[in-house]
């Protein structure tokens, strides 16, 4: 419970920032990867608070205790919401991943508008609301994240919660003609109006959202005031704004020059002597445009044979949603294309593509960022894309080039230094790789310097500050610092085998 007068940050998201696994000897906790964790872990690590979410297992066992042990020195606590396998199926795999994810990424043809998914989505949002209502104190600020929980504000109001509640959408908000395809378009927008502040990634999403509100909800009044709009609807008033998410810039820049990363990055280049590394790092997802990227790389090698043996694409794919057939098909498609391109162009001592299909540890990831001359970030559509920002922050020599899709939210902020491309135009992408390869050092430095400055001035703490300022007129400094906030959990350390991993992650990961 909150102490009197304290305002805590209560984060609610679909998943807790850990993956829990069980075997004969006990529970194991490991960090989960993904943009939301990357953005919020450093904030909570420094400020304390509570994170509510599904622990990623459908087990009936109460996970409160292992989670408490795992986070006892982390500066914040985790509160699990348990879901049945059926709920996970219809809510997470169904409504979130087969309806909202493709629709909001403009891929309406991939949607499965099953009414059972919608029914479970509302029930599960209510479940999250019950745990949140039990956990949050009166003065706490509740900050709900992402498309899995768009009805949570409404459910909390139904449970009598009057606290201020904010919502941030990490994925794009689609244009009106696409949003209108959603059979529950009215219910979703109506539910969103129960939040006090709605944050979107970019001005493009902000405009789309307001256009949908005006078209679908009757008797709504929208007043524009710069980058923040006020919506009046009956008795209610709420605000909407664009808050581009970012990264812990200083942490990436610092870690990039650490001994460990420097050594690893040197080793990567030793293995690929005198070659330019073109790096792709993407979660396995059809929105990330990986086959288009591979096609562009094949085109480059065909049109510019002089680049063969001088350039290597290192494509890292992070496993994700692998039980979904569409994702399994995508993995097979990627592997087929990598095999085909390598089969066509490989000569003794050089293969054009190095393909890595696993989650990298943080040092390894930053070492790849630092070792690469070119980053190829070409999603078909992306809310923001943190990889593009992490690459720039880690490029401490400022000699690298970022090629970025114009359909990534990050393009709005990074357009002045990056080479922007339409990822569907594989000829253009091939040309951009060629241009990046041939760019002189002065140009590369000039561009990368601008990019890094932009990201440094707009880091993840700036993102939280801007959201909280708009939400409650206060900034991050007004939340209690970590020293006053260590949770008191006295438990037998050896009873919980995953403790070290969890603590390391929660203290150190971002
Ligand atoms: P994601 O779709 O997951 O996030 P992204 O923003 O690129 O996409 O974030 C991926 C995160 O995973 C990065 O922080 C990266 O460090 C981490 N990661 C990538 N490869 C990894 C690897 N091999 N091993 C370990 N970690 C790895 C969603 C939206 C995005 C939005 C974010 C944040 O889809 O558009 O930018 O949320 O709002």
């Amino acid at each position: 419970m909150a102490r009197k007068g304290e305002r805590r940050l209560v984060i609610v998201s679909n998943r807790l920032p850990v993956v829990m696994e069980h075997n004969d000897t006990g529970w194991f906790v490991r960090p989960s990867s993904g943009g939301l964790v990357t953005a919020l872990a450093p904030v909570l690590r420094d400020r304390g608070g509570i994170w509510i979410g599904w622990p990623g297992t459908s087990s009936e066992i109460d996970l409160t205790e292992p989670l408490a042990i795992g986070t006892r020195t982390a500066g914040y606590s985790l509160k699990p919401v348990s879901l049945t396998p059926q709920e996970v199926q219809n809510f997470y795999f169904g409504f979130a991943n087969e309806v909202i994810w493709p629709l909001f990424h403009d891929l309406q043809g991939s949607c499965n508008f099953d009414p059972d998914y919608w029914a479970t989505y509302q029930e599960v949002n209510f479940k999250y609301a019950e745990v949140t209502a039990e956990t949050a104190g009166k003065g706490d600020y509740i900050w709900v994240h992402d498309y899995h929980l768009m009805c949570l504000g409404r459910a909390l109001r139904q449970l009598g919660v009057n606290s201020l509640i904010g919502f941030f959408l990490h994925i794009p908000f689609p244009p009106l003609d696409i949003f209108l395809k959603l059979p529950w378009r009215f219910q979703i927008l109506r539910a969103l109006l129960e939040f006090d502040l709605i944050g979107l990634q970019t001005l493009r999403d902000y405009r789309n959202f307001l256009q949908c509100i005006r078209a679908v909800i009757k008797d709504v009044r929208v007043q524009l005031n710069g980058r923040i709009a006020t919506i009046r609807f009956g008795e209610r008033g709420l605000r909407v704004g664009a808050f581009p998410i970012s990264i812990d810039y200083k942490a990436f820049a610092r870690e990039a020059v650490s001994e460990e990363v420097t050594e690893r990055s040197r080793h990567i280049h030793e293995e690929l002597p005198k070659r330019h590394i073109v790096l792709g790092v993407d979660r396995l997802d059809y929105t990330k445009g990986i086959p288009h990227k591979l096609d562009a790389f094949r085109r480059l090698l065909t049109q510019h044979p002089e680049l063969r043996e001088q350039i290597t694409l290192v494509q890292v794919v992070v496993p994700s949603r692998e039980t979904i057939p569409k994702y399994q098909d995508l993995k097979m498609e990627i592997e087929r294309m990598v095999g085909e391109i390598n089969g066509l162009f490989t000569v003794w001592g050089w293969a054009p593509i190095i393909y890595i299909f696993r989650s990298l540890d943080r040092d390894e990831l930053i070492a790849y960022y630092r070792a690469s001359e070119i980053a190829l970030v070409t999603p078909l559509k992306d809310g923001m894309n943190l990889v593009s920002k992490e690459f720039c922050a880690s490029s401490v020599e400022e000699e690298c080039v970022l090629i970025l899709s114009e359909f990534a939210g990050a393009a709005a902020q990074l357009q002045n230094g990056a080479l922007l491309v339409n990822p569907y135009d594989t000829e253009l992408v091939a040309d951009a790789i060629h241009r990046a390869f041939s760019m002189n050092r002065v140009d590369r430095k000039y561009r990368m310097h601008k990019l890094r400055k932009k990201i440094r001035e707009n880091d993840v703490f700036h993102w939280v500050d801007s959201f909280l300022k708009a939400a409650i007129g206060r900034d991050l400094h007004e939340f209690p610092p970590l020293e006053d906030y260590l949770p008191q959990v006295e438990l037998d350390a050896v009873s919980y085998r995953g403790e070290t991993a969890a603590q390391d992650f929660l203290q150190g990961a971002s």
Side-chain angles (χ1 to χ4, degrees):
M1 289 298 289
R3 287 179 297 222
K4 208 168 170 227
E6 264 178 6
R7 184 191 281 281
R8 297 175 306 178
L9 204 49
V10 178
I11 303 288
V12 194
S13 70
N14 165 46
R15 287 289 291 268
L16 286 173
V18 288
V19 176
M20 304 207 60
E21 282 159 359
H22 190 253
N23 68 15
D24 297 345
T25 51
W27 281 99
F28 289 82
V29 176
R30 61 181 171 81
S32 53
S33 64
L36 183 58
V37 180
T38 310
L40 286 174
V43 175
L44 280 183
R45 181 187 68 213
D46 291 348
R47 302 285 148 182
I50 300 174
W51 192 320
I52 297 169
W54 178 52
T57 154
S58 306
S59 129
E60 296 295 307
I61 300 165
D62 184 1
L63 295 171
T64 310
E65 187 175 302
L67 284 170
I69 301 171
T71 57
R72 105 182 127 174
T73 57
Y76 65 99
S77 49
L78 304 181
K79 179 92 185 167
V81 177
S82 44
L83 300 179
T84 66
Q86 186 60 30
E87 284 170 338
V88 174
Q89 190 53 43
N90 282 3
F91 156 74
Y92 177 71
F93 290 110
F95 199 77
N97 285 333
E98 284 187 33
V99 179
I100 300 298
W101 179 265
L103 189 76
F104 281 33
H105 286 90
D106 300 353
L107 298 165
Q108 63 268 40
S110 302
C111 294
N112 175 7
F113 296 116
D114 184 335
D116 289 344
Y117 292 169
W118 168 238
T120 311
Y121 183 79
Q122 293 170 91
E123 286 158 21
V124 169
N125 270 243
F126 202 80
K127 228 176 184 183
Y128 277 78
E130 285 176 323
V131 176
T132 308
E134 271 164 29
T135 309
K138 251 193 170 170
D140 293 343
Y141 185 73
I142 302 171
W143 189 1
V144 180
H145 289 265
D146 230 356
Y147 61 103
H148 315 87
L149 300 172
M150 291 188 286
C151 296
L152 186 59
R154 183 157 220 202
L156 282 167
R157 301 299 182 213
Q158 283 164 358
L159 289 168
V161 174
N162 294 318
S163 313
L164 287 173
I165 314 172
F167 175 77
F168 185 78
L169 185 70
H170 290 256
I171 64 174
F173 199 92
L176 178 64
D177 57 338
I178 291 179
F179 183 76
L180 286 180
K181 311 264 164 38
L182 182 65
W184 309 282
R185 58 203 182 181
F186 173 79
Q187 292 93 320
I188 292 278
L189 286 181
R190 182 62 195 84
L192 283 169
L193 293 179
E194 296 295 335
F195 290 109
D196 296 292
L197 174 67
I198 295 175
L200 300 149
Q201 295 272 28
T202 64
L203 280 177
R204 170 196 68 188
D205 306 309
Y206 164 84
R207 290 191 191 113
N208 287 346
F209 178 74
L210 292 179
Q211 199 187 11
C212 291
I213 284 282
R214 284 187 173 118
V216 175
I217 307 281
K218 270 195 192 145
D219 302 326
V220 77
R221 274 178 299 138
V222 178
Q223 206 181 345
L224 298 177
N225 182 13
R227 290 181 157 235
I228 302 270
T230 304
I231 298 180
R232 302 226 169 267
F233 176 64
E235 301 284 287
R236 282 200 55 71
L238 67 142
R239 300 201 293 161
V240 182
F243 305 91
I245 200 168
S246 195
I247 57 162
D248 187 350
Y249 174 91
K250 281 189 192 146
F252 276 93
R254 191 178 54 239
E255 287 165 49
V257 293
S258 70
E259 223 173 279
E260 170 81 19
V261 168
T262 307
E263 182 52 33
R264 282 192 185 203
S265 139
R266 207 172 48 79
H267 183 70
I268 292 168
H269 253 298
E270 272 171 12
E271 294 296 311
L272 298 164
K274 296 196 201 124
R275 295 210 167 106
H276 265 56
I277 299 178
V278 179
L279 179 69
V281 175
D282 304 277
R283 210 163 39 69
L284 179 69
D285 200 286
Y286 50 84
T287 62
K288 301 290 181 186
I290 304 168
H292 297 73
K293 184 189 319 199
L294 294 172
D295 200 33
F297 195 67
R298 176 189 1 222
R299 212 170 265 284
L300 174 83
L301 296 176
T302 308
Q303 286 170 355
H304 295 281
E306 73 281 7
L307 290 193
R308 297 179 197 167
E309 297 183 68
Q310 292 208 54
I311 198 163
T312 296
L313 172 64
V314 175
Q315 178 60 53
V316 182
V317 176
V318 191
S320 173
R321 304 175 193 174
E322 279 175 282
T323 52
I324 303 176
K326 206 166 163 52
Y327 287 72
Q328 292 164 357
D329 294 347
L330 175 65
K331 181 170 182 266
M332 273 161 51
E333 168 73 354
I334 293 168
E335 285 169 3
R336 188 191 61 73
M337 289 182 78
V338 169
E340 197 178 291
I341 297 168
N342 277 345
L344 262 177
F345 297 104
T346 297
V347 291
W348 191 252
W350 173 73
I353 304 177
I354 293 176
Y355 171 62
I356 302 170
F357 183 75
R358 64 185 161 84
S359 197
L360 304 179
D361 71 37
R362 192 175 158 91
D363 278 351
E364 209 178 356
L365 179 65
I366 301 179
Y368 275 108
Y369 285 150
R370 189 163 168 206
S372 304
E373 278 76 18
I374 300 169
L376 193 50
V377 184
T378 51
L380 305 179
K381 185 126 189 197
D382 216 335
M384 179 54 57
N385 193 287
L386 296 179
V387 167
S388 57
K389 295 185 173 184
E390 292 167 1
F391 169 74
C392 296
S394 311
S395 294
V396 285
E397 280 88 8
E398 300 193 336
E399 290 191 3
C400 307
V401 184
L402 171 66
I403 300 174
L404 179 62
S405 161
E406 60 196 60
F407 306 127
Q413 288 177 306
L414 305 184
Q415 58 184 320
N416 283 330
L419 299 182
L420 288 196
V421 291
N422 169 358
Y424 292 97
D425 186 345
T426 51
E427 277 192 336
L428 180 79
V429 177
D431 284 351
I433 304 173
H434 186 255
R435 194 175 154 204
F437 180 86
S438 325
M439 194 181 284
N440 68 49
R441 188 162 169 268
V442 176
D443 267 6
R444 279 185 272 138
K445 276 206 166 266
Y446 175 71
R447 285 170 173 273
M448 188 47 74
H449 186 72
K450 274 209 289 199
L451 289 169
R452 296 183 85 233
K453 182 167 183 286
K454 186 85 185 175
I455 301 165
R456 186 171 63 241
E457 290 168 354
N458 296 278
D459 67 1
V460 67
F461 301 102
H462 173 83
W463 171 68
V464 179
D465 266 346
S466 346
F467 190 91
L468 291 181
K469 269 189 198 127
I472 46 178
R474 308 221 170 135
D475 63 25
L476 201 51
H477 302 291
E478 294 182 49
F479 286 83
L482 183 60
E483 306 80 274
D484 300 343
Y485 221 85
L486 291 179
Q488 299 301 307
V489 186
E490 285 184 21
L491 285 157
D492 174 9
V494 288
S495 69
Y496 179 47
R497 299 282 310 276
E499 181 180 26
T500 313
Q503 283 177 359
D504 284 349
F505 166 62
L506 290 161
Q507 286 168 34
S510 50

